[in-house]
Amino acid sequence: MPRRATIRDLADETGVSVATVSRVLNGHTNVSAQTRDLVLRAAHKLGAHGPRARSGPAAGGDTVFVRCPYVLSDYFGLIVSSIVETVELHGMGVVLNAGKSAAGRSPLPTLPERAGVRGAVLILPPEPAEDLAALRDRQFPFVVVDPRTAPPRDVVAVSSAHFAGARSVMTHLVGLGHRRIGIIGGPREWSVSDGRQAGYIAPLVDVGALPPLELLRFVTEPNEEQGHAAAGELLDLPSPPTALACFNDKIALGALRAAAERGLRVPADLSVAGFDDIEVSRATSPMLTTVRQPLAELGRMAVTMLLRMMGGHELDALHVELATDLVVRGSTAPPRAL
């Protein structure tokens, strides 16, 4: 018996994305009429062996609640997009709670009572661990992506290997010969800041170059403006650093601006490294040495774990870390000879 065509087969036939094919077959309205007709004609062409369209937006009204109380920039946008696409590939709908306005009120207490909502993915949730534990105690399935604070041990979470990533970029800088390295860390209350800070410090300890407190800065918001201000303070020291290790690429972008304002050439006079490998890291001149986080895979992994929970399956690993990769580009080089 010939196999039934898959959504991938329809995507290949029509040249549209797998997620778009899924939206058409699931009856979603956020698809143009032209695209819908294209997909349905392809399904008709494949005949009895094509996928069967569902009659509603999601089978049985099942939806996943996705909370991301931040602006959907290139960082958060990549995670959210992968979550939405993966959920829809499994024939379910999404309720999206996003943007800064979503940060002012917590929907967690009411999630178990929401009609049709079977589970949730919470991205960098601002809620304290007690609120997450309360939701867990009500037997409501949810997964935390990149927890802001350390979640309870039995709350399912997925994140990147922040310690290993930070250690790799600092090992790179130390290997180039840098010893006086400024560190611009993230918000002190974020657990990821602790992980990256420890990763930055470890290679310096190995070579006996523990940074003095004057070379450490922390931001309250990991953005370009605060990176610019923190880098400026470090570069204005009587004995400035020869390299800057930045909490993320946006902070590194601010550091590059601060260096340019002071007539410093990157990397001849100053090396700068970031973290995340978002699009801006490839738009700078020189392009930014950074640590690549698997942002889309974070979203896909979260949905996979959530679906297993919703199906009643036991998870062997509750806290999963995905590997990061060091990406060496033009913004780092050996320190200038004195």
Side-chain angles (χ1 to χ4, degrees), residues 30-53:
N30 59 336
V31 181
S32 70
Q34 181 180 4
T35 300
R36 184 180 303 279
D37 290 343
L38 178 66
V39 172
L40 293 179
R41 281 198 304 270
H44 179 72
K45 175 182 175 182
L46 293 175
H49 306 299
R52 295 171 181 167

Side-chain angles (χ1 to χ4, degrees), residues 1 17 30 41 50 65 100 116 146 148 164 170 209-210 253 259-260 262 271 297 320 326 337-338:
M1 180 179 179
S17 70
N30 59 336
R41 281 198 304 270
F65 188 91
K100 286 188 176 181
D146 212 5
R148 176 183 281 199
M170 186 60 76
L210 187 66
L253 192 64
R262 289 159 176 79
S271 287
E297 186 60 25
V320 175
L326 175 66
L338 298 178

Side-chain angles (χ1 to χ4, degrees), residues 7-9 11-12 16-23 85 88-89:
I7 289 178
R8 172 63 66 184
D9 294 332
D12 292 342
V16 302
S17 70
V18 169
T20 299
V21 172
S22 176
R23 284 195 287 270
E85 291 181 358
E88 291 185 344
L89 283 176

Side-chain angles (χ1 to χ4, degrees), residues 18-277:
V18 169
T20 299
V21 172
S22 176
R23 284 195 287 270
V24 172
L25 298 179
N26 289 326
H28 288 270
T29 59
N30 59 336
V31 181
S32 70
Q34 181 180 4
T35 300
R36 184 180 303 279
D37 290 343
L38 178 66
V39 172
L40 293 179
R41 281 198 304 270
H44 179 72
K45 175 182 175 182
L46 293 175
H49 306 299
R52 295 171 181 167
R54 302 178 189 270
S55 59
D62 292 340
T63 58
V64 172
F65 188 91
V66 179
R67 174 160 166 77
C68 183
Y70 310 94
V71 175
L72 297 185
S73 61
D74 39 12
Y75 179 89
F76 291 112
L78 286 170
I79 299 175
V80 170
S81 294
S82 68
I83 290 171
V84 172
E85 291 181 358
T86 307
V87 168
E88 291 185 344
L89 283 176
H90 287 86
M92 301 182 69
V94 170
V95 175
L96 181 59
N97 175 249
K100 286 188 176 181
S101 62
R105 55 190 184 280
S106 175
L108 269 57
T110 63
L111 283 183
E113 287 81 35
R114 295 203 178 197
V117 174
R118 292 191 55 205
V121 179
L122 311 176
I123 304 170
L124 200 68
E127 289 83 4
E130 293 78 11
D131 289 2
L132 300 178
L135 187 61
R136 173 210 60 204
D137 292 343
R138 298 180 68 182
Q139 305 300 310
F140 182 81
F142 70 96
V143 176
V144 176
V145 176
D146 212 5
R148 176 183 281 199
T149 58
R153 293 185 60 184
D154 50 355
V155 165
V156 179
V158 57
S159 63
S160 295
H162 297 292
F163 173 86
R167 181 175 58 186
S168 69
V169 73
M170 186 60 76
T171 298
H172 166 67
L173 292 173
V174 168
L176 290 173
H178 294 279
R179 294 297 183 270
R180 189 165 174 81
I181 302 173
I183 299 173
I184 305 178
R188 288 178 179 269
E189 67 273 16
W190 291 11
S191 61
V192 59
S193 296
D194 294 336
R196 292 186 191 178
Q197 191 75 2
Y200 289 139
I201 297 298
L204 292 171
V205 171
D206 290 342
V207 295
L210 187 66
L213 291 178
E214 68 175 3
L215 290 183
L216 303 179
R217 294 293 186 279
F218 294 89
V219 300
T220 56
E221 292 287 340
N223 56 36
E224 180 183 348
E225 287 305 315
Q226 293 206 19
H228 173 262
E233 293 178 5
L234 292 170
L235 297 177
D236 289 340
L237 291 172
S239 180
T242 62
L244 295 177
C246 302
F247 177 79
N248 66 8
D249 292 341
K250 292 182 179 179
I251 287 177
L253 192 64
L256 291 174
R257 180 156 58 94
E261 291 171 351
R262 289 159 176 79
L264 298 175
R265 299 165 298 161
V266 175
D269 302 318
L270 176 73
S271 287
V272 177
F275 205 110
D276 289 342
D277 194 32

